[in-house]
Structure formats: structure tokens, C-alpha cells
Amino acid sequence: MSRPELIERRAEWPVQLRLEPLPAEDVDSLIPARIGEALREQIARAAGGNPLFVGEMLAMAGDGDGEMVVPPTLQALLAARLDQLEAAKRTVLECGAIEGEVFHRGAVRALATGEAAVTPRLAALTRKQLIAPDKAQIRGEDGFRFRHLLIRDAAYDALPKAARADVHARFAGWLEEHGTAVVELDELLGYHLEQAVRHRGELGLEDAELAAAARERLSTAGRRALSRLDFDSAARLLERAAALAPASEVDLALETDLIDALTGTEIEQALGRARSLSERSAASDDRVGQLCGRIHEAVLRISVKPAGAADALEALVLEALPVFEAAGDELALRIAYRALGSVANMRAHMDQMAVAYEQAAAYAAPARGTALVGYQGHARFPRLDSAHRAAHLA
Amino acid sequence: MTVLAMLGRIAEARALLGELRAEVIERGALTLHAAIEGYARYIELLAGDLVAAAAAGETGCRLDEELGHSSELSTIAGSLARVYSDLGQLEEAERWASRAAELSSSDDASTQMLWRDAEALVEAHRGQHARAERLAREAVRIGEQTEALNAQAETYADLGEVLALAGRHRRRPRPSKRPWPATRRRRLS
């Protein structure tokens, strides 16, 4: 039923015909073949079996395969439904929307401050077909799902930015306490803290502590993805983490892991990030960071433009090592010795390669980014490039 | 999985490889896929299936080309050239050896050995024995400056084959389309 609120307004109507959501195959048949796979999935998911929603979204989609845009007509329709809710019910719905398409009663209780009757409000929202009970993702909790993703988005969009920032941050606090068994806890916490930072930033409010917490969570999640060789996810998470660093700060461990992740996905982007690291470090008179950026770039050059690259890299590392030793920077030393391992690898100098990687591993303190576990073993093979190393880490 | 193949447990190695390959393809992880094809080539060489080794090499080259990994591409191209020379497909061997020589850095020892060995065998099969011997001896010299013992051994074996094809042998040379000897260990790259 596209507009269940009409039943409430027109109690005198003699007949009620309740329609269940269309099955997935019927929704699919409503979407023309010209619509690409990605957009097709977005429309089907957002429509939740509602043919009106499918039709409206198709009208906006045209022939392209870009991002789904919710049509103003549909936004107005959904906003109108939410406007008719009592303030308390609406607050409960908005608090649920902060968590996402699926949310939990306990979270709403924690977020809807001053609202004592959360359970009856949720029951009422269920009767109004805005939400439905669903499997909880947190043990001991009751789960709910928005009947349509678009309803969730409409509820979320109705919140002012300041309120969104506040509720995202408070939800992160609740999740940290109750979601310890959630597999992707760091990703989720990072996301909610990041959203809080973003909304506050749009209001001109900076919160360094919140940004640092978001960065820490996203970095942890990114490093975990990197360790399982999921380079795409790692790059996305680490890029988001890096974007939360203050403009004046260069987080060398994070930058190094991000470059490693990008190397596994798009080497030109990895080169760009290495150059950027060097430039940003130079701008803040950080000689160690600048040299590390140049070393990262030179290592990547071995892959993309190998002629003379190993000699250039070796010369650069020999220039950098005294600087790193004087600074006592173990992470920089690790980067330098790993680079020497690449040089030796190129020349098939296996013993030198083993020594270099062992030295690098000696500096691979767990607190400072991803360790180089397993690298030194590769000296037993005649020629292993970064891709082979990555596969060996698997 | 390469260890399994070295132990002669080819079916197990191939099964593991198949799982890994399916996973990286599903993930769309091109860099890992390229690496997996490197292992596939090696396992098939140990299994004696040169055609399958060549197919894995071709896929690896295509992926590295797509990724812009010139250095990795040059090494795999050299290895592929060497496989084609063993298959007796001399034109293909020559084509990939040229590609490896063109892309590789002068200090990339493995690739420098691989393309020389492949081209030496092509020349030897065409009766160009002097040029073949020169290339094979260059490969030996490059290998001797490395600590890559398997690769060194390969250059010696290939020089021996070149000399045998020139008639400088006591026994008949092996036919170029021979099955891969199970005891012979190829370089990994």
C-alpha cells in the first residue's frame, strides 16, 4: 500500500484492500532492460516491493546508470506521511533512522532522551507500516527494519544537522558499549563518528577529539581489510581515515598503509598519494615524511617504469637512512629497509633481500601500522614482485 | 599450493588454486588475480602441462598490462616466451621475448635471463647457432651475478640445450615438444 495514511483519514471508506509488497521478480519485471545492473539493484532495494516507488524512481532515472535520485514527488509523499506523525513517534523514528535501515530498540531508548514509552511508539509505527520487526544484529536486542529504505532516508533527512551530529555521536557511544560482538564494529563506529564530525563541520563546528576517534576506528578497520588483502575496502576506509586528520598533521603510518592498499587497486593513485605525502610533509618541514613519500614513490616506479628505478631507489634510501636514524623514527626505518628489499629483489640478490626484509620486520612495531609479516620469506624465491608478496601474505 | 605442486601433489595444488582464483575474480581484485596466475603458471609447469602454463601466462600478462605493472609484465612475458619455446611455438616465443626485452630494466636480473634464454632457444631451433650461444652465455653471466640458484641452473640447462641443438653434444638433443620433466624445477617468475 503506497499511502496507508489515507485509511486513517477516510475511515468511512467501505473497502480496505491490503496489498503485500511485490515479489522481487515482479519488481524486476517493472524495470526496463535498458537500466543497468547497479541502478537496477538500487531501485529494487529502495522500492521495497512498492510499484509506485519503482515507477517514480524510474521516471527520474532516465536511461542512465548513475546514482539513484529520489524524485521530489516521492520525497514529498514520504515527508507528508512523516509530518502526520505525533512528535514523540517521529522522534522515535528519527532515532531509529540514525542507526540505519535496521535498528534496535535499545539504541532508540538511549537516543530518544525524555521519551519513556519507546516500546508503544515502536508498536504504533509498526501498525502504521513504517517499520516492521526484524532480526536483531545485536544479541539480546529487538530489531526493526524500515519498511522502505526511502522512509528511513526521509526520516533521517528531516533531522537538522546539529541533531544528526549529536545523535550519531551518541549512537556510537551506545554501540561501543552494546555491540562488542558485532563483526564490523570498527567500520560502524568509524562511520557514525565520521558522520558526527561531518555534520558538525558543515555547521562550522570542529571537534578534534571526535575526529581523532573516528580516524582511529576507520584506520583499524582499514588495516584489518588490508591484512586480509581486501585492497578496495582497505583503500576506501583508510582514505576516509586520512581525510579526518588535521590539515597540518601527516600521519605517516596511516599514509603508508593507504599507499599499500592503493598499490593493490590502482597504482597511479598510489603514486599520486606518495607524491602528495612528500609534498605535504615538505610544506610542514617534515624531512622524514618527505623522504618517506619519495621512497614510496620510487618503489612504485619499479613497477610502472622499471628502467633505472632500482638504482634511483637505492640512492634515495642511502640518502634517507642517516636522516631516519638521527630522528630515531622506526617507522621510517622500516619503510627504508623494505625499499632496500625491493632493490635486492630486482637484482635477484636473495640474501640481501632477506636481510633487508628482516631488518624492516624488526622495526614493524604493531602499534605503528601493518606489520611486514612474511616478507622475509620471499627471498627464497628468485623474483617476487609486490603482487606476489601480497599473495604470500594471504 | 606451490609447495604441494613441488611435492608432486598436483591435483591438490590445482584445487587450491581454483578456489583462490575464483575468490579473487569474484572480488574483482586484479592485482591478486595477476599474482595467482603466476602461481598457476608455476604449478602447470611442474605438472608438465605447458599449454596450461602458457594460458596462465597469457592471462597474467593481460592483467599486468591492464594494471600498468610494466616490471611484472616484463618478467611474466619472459617466462611465457620460455614456455612457448618449450612448446615449439617459436613465433610466439620470439614475440614475448621481444616484449620482455623491450619492457624490462637492465638491472632486472630475472627478466634479463628469461628473455635471453627464450630467444636463444628460438635462434637455436632456426639454425642461428652463434647468436643462440651468445644469448645463452649472456644469460649465464647475468645469473652468476645473482643469488638465484634455480634461475642460474636454468641458464646452464638452456645453454646446454642450445649447444646440443648446434650438434655440440654426445647424445641426441631432446625434442622441443618434450613433456616437462617432473624433476626439473623452473624459476618461479
Side-chain angles (χ1 to χ4, degrees):
Chain A
M1 183 174 289
S2 300
R3 304 191 60 186
E5 74 276 14
L6 294 179
I7 299 296
E8 293 169 18
R9 274 201 236 155
R10 302 278 189 272
E12 71 280 11
W13 282 2
V15 175
Q16 286 187 20
L17 183 60
R18 187 173 292 275
L19 298 177
E20 292 302 317
L22 286 179
E25 59 269 25
D26 290 349
V27 170
D28 195 56
S29 70
L30 291 174
I31 305 174
R34 67 168 191 277
I35 302 291
E37 196 58 36
L39 183 57
R40 198 176 189 85
E41 280 176 23
Q42 283 185 51
I43 290 175
R45 180 160 177 261
N50 187 320
L52 170 66
F53 291 2
V54 174
E56 293 285 327
M57 282 186 283
L58 280 173
M60 284 295 285
D63 292 340
D65 195 13
E67 284 291 301
M68 183 189 73
V69 179
V70 180
T73 49
L74 209 48
Q75 283 177 329
L77 186 70
L78 293 164
R81 278 189 74 183
L82 300 187
D83 282 344
Q84 289 164 20
L85 292 173
E86 295 163 25
K89 286 179 192 151
R90 187 169 172 146
T91 300
V92 164
L93 199 68
E94 287 167 352
C95 288
I98 285 289
E99 185 175 353
E101 190 179 4
V102 174
F103 62 94
H104 298 88
R105 186 197 308 267
V108 176
R109 273 208 188 105
L111 301 177
T113 46
E115 177 51 65
V118 166
T119 298
R121 308 283 183 228
L122 289 169
L125 292 167
T126 302
R127 284 194 298 278
K128 285 179 177 295
Q129 297 182 60
L130 291 166
I131 60 173
D134 202 80
K135 189 181 173 191
Q137 294 168 351
I138 293 175
R139 189 176 295 172
E141 270 292 334
D142 293 320
F144 292 87
R145 178 184 289 275
F146 281 88
R147 288 295 293 252
H148 300 286
L149 187 57
L150 299 182
I151 295 174
R152 180 265 165 191
D153 291 348
Y156 184 85
D157 291 343
L159 273 169
K161 281 180 184 169
R164 274 187 227 169
D166 174 58
V167 184
H168 271 298
R170 286 196 293 122
F171 174 71
W174 181 86
L175 185 63
E176 193 168 13
E177 187 181 341
H178 294 88
T180 48
V182 173
V183 176
E184 295 183 326
L185 183 63
D186 287 311
E187 283 89 336
L188 289 171
L189 286 173
Y191 168 76
H192 286 285
L193 292 168
E194 179 190 36
Q195 292 305 307
V197 171
R198 185 170 75 84
H199 291 306
R200 282 188 192 177
E202 286 172 5
L203 296 169
L205 303 168
E206 286 195 9
D207 189 330
E209 200 176 322
L210 202 60
R215 177 155 57 122
E216 182 64 32
R217 291 291 182 175
L218 291 172
S219 299
T220 303
R223 285 178 177 132
R224 196 178 300 119
L226 189 56
S227 70
R228 64 174 184 265
L229 305 182
D230 184 353
F231 297 122
D232 281 328
S233 300
R236 280 196 298 271
L237 287 160
L238 295 170
E239 269 175 339
R240 285 165 55 198
L244 288 160
S248 58
E249 182 189 328
V250 174
D251 183 337
L252 185 56
L254 177 55
E255 293 285 339
T256 296
D257 287 334
L258 174 54
I259 290 165
D260 281 353
L262 289 170
T263 303
T265 55
E266 178 49 69
I267 202 161
E268 285 299 330
Q269 283 183 23
L271 273 165
R273 191 80 201 185
R275 266 195 300 273
S276 156
L277 168 61
S278 176
E279 288 162 6
R280 281 178 286 133
S281 300
S284 54
D285 289 328
D286 175 0
R287 176 82 173 131
V288 169
Q290 186 191 3
L291 283 165
C292 285
R294 287 175 59 200
I295 290 173
H296 282 312
E297 189 181 351
V299 168
L300 292 164
R301 290 259 169 246
I302 287 185
S303 263
V304 295
K305 204 174 177 185
D311 287 346
L313 174 59
E314 185 180 43
L316 178 58
V317 173
L318 294 178
E319 175 195 337
L321 272 173
V323 178
F324 296 168
E325 279 162 4
D329 193 317
E330 295 200 349
L331 176 59
L333 286 164
R334 185 186 110 188
I335 291 166
Y337 281 113
R338 184 170 72 158
L340 283 181
S342 295
V343 172
N345 179 30
M346 188 70 151
R347 295 169 180 165
H349 290 166
M350 300 306 144
D351 286 343
Q352 285 178 19
M353 187 164 108
V355 168
Y357 283 142
E358 276 159 7
Q359 281 179 294
Y363 290 114
R368 305 223 47 191
T370 307
L372 290 160
V373 177
Y375 274 43
Q376 57 269 45
H378 303 134
R380 307 296 168 240
F381 296 102
R383 173 81 165 79
L384 281 169
D385 50 52
S386 57
H388 292 94
R389 287 202 305 268
H392 263 265
L393 284 167
Chain B
M1 100 203 132
T2 50
V3 172
L4 284 173
M6 287 173 179
L7 291 168
R9 292 159 64 179
I10 299 297
E12 289 170 77
R14 281 175 172 158
L16 268 176
L17 178 83
E19 281 177 35
L20 206 50
R21 183 188 266 144
E23 187 183 328
V24 297
I25 289 173
E26 189 187 336
R27 279 200 212 173
L30 293 188
T31 306
L32 286 177
H33 187 187
I36 296 301
E37 294 304 333
Y39 292 110
R41 194 180 65 253
Y42 182 58
I43 288 167
E44 294 305 340
L45 284 175
L46 290 174
D49 189 341
L50 294 181
V51 173
E58 293 269 3
T59 306
C61 284
R62 179 178 57 74
L63 291 167
D64 277 323
E65 181 102 58
E66 205 173 314
L67 288 161
H69 292 175
S70 300
S71 179
E72 290 80 355
L73 172 58
S74 71
T75 308
I76 306 218
S79 177
L80 184 56
R82 188 62 191 76
V83 174
Y84 277 126
S85 73
D86 280 341
L87 279 167
Q89 296 183 28
L90 301 186
E91 285 182 7
E92 281 301 289
E94 189 172 37
R95 184 167 75 86
W96 284 109
S98 298
R99 186 93 172 104
E102 169 203 341
L103 287 172
S104 70
S105 165
S106 58
D107 53 5
D108 182 348
S110 296
T111 309
Q112 294 296 334
M113 286 184 267
L114 282 164
W115 77 256
R116 279 180 172 81
D117 275 346
E119 199 165 309
L121 287 165
V122 169
E123 296 291 2
H125 280 290
R126 288 175 176 162
Q128 301 296 319
H129 300 298
R131 178 170 157 71
E133 184 178 344
R134 182 177 61 78
L135 286 165
R137 288 194 186 281
E138 281 176 9
V140 166
R141 270 198 298 278
I142 293 167
E144 284 171 344
Q145 290 163 34
T146 74
E147 292 146 358
L149 300 182
N150 286 0
Q152 281 181 18
E154 289 302 322
T155 60
Y156 293 133
D158 286 341
L159 174 59
E161 189 163 343
V162 163
L163 293 174
L165 285 165
R168 293 158 66 185
H169 57 84
R170 292 185 181 175
R171 289 178 296 177
R172 286 183 62 198
R174 288 169 295 179
S176 63
K177 286 186 180 177
R178 70 193 185 284
W180 195 264
T183 52
R184 190 174 175 188
R185 298 291 183 256
R186 289 296 305 173
R187 57 176 69 89
L188 182 60
S189 49

